[in-house]
């Protein structure tokens, strides 16, 4: 979310106003996922770890609880599921 985090947040807020589900990511999502979810109510989820696979799964399902590498809120409490193993950079 740096250095364009404020632009990303504006886009997410605008998208949410149209009814979209919103996900943010970046390396800061690994450390600040709970703070992001608490501070910005228009953010539905924060992707952490290997986001390339996470985004594909998000597009394939409506049940985000089954998607690895995702932090969401459950009853207003930020929760994080299991991350993904690191991708194989050699292939």
């Amino acid at each position: 979310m740096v250095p364009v985090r404020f632009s990303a947040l504006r886009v997410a807020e605008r998208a949410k106003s149209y009814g979209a589900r919103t996900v943010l990511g970046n390396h800061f999502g690994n450390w600040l996922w709970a703070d992001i979810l608490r501070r910005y109510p228009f953010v539905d989820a924060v992707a952490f770890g290997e986001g390339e696979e996470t985004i594909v799964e998000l597009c394939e399902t409506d049940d985000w609880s089954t998607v690895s590498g995702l932090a969401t809120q459950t009853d207003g409490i930020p929760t994080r599921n299991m991350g993904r193993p690191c991708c194989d950079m050699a292939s």
Side-chain angles (χ1 to χ4, degrees), residues 7-90:
S7 295
L9 288 166
R10 282 193 299 274
V11 169
E13 186 172 28
R14 180 77 183 248
K16 190 67 174 178
S17 75
Y18 286 99
R21 293 173 82 183
T22 59
V23 182
L24 294 179
N26 198 320
H27 59 279
F28 279 92
N30 289 319
W31 305 296
L32 300 174
W33 58 272
D35 187 48
I36 292 166
L37 291 170
R38 274 192 222 100
R39 193 175 289 200
Y40 305 106
F42 51 86
V43 175
D44 294 312
V46 176
F48 60 91
E50 299 298 329
E52 291 81 2
E53 293 179 26
T54 301
I55 192 70
V56 172
E57 280 192 45
L58 287 172
C59 293
E60 294 176 340
T61 184
D62 287 329
D63 182 7
W64 287 9
S65 67
T66 64
V67 178
S68 296
L70 203 63
T72 58
Q73 291 201 56
T74 303
D75 298 323
I77 300 169
T79 56
R80 179 178 149 151
N81 65 21
M82 295 300 295
R84 296 184 178 279
C86 186
C87 63
D88 181 6
M89 301 297 284

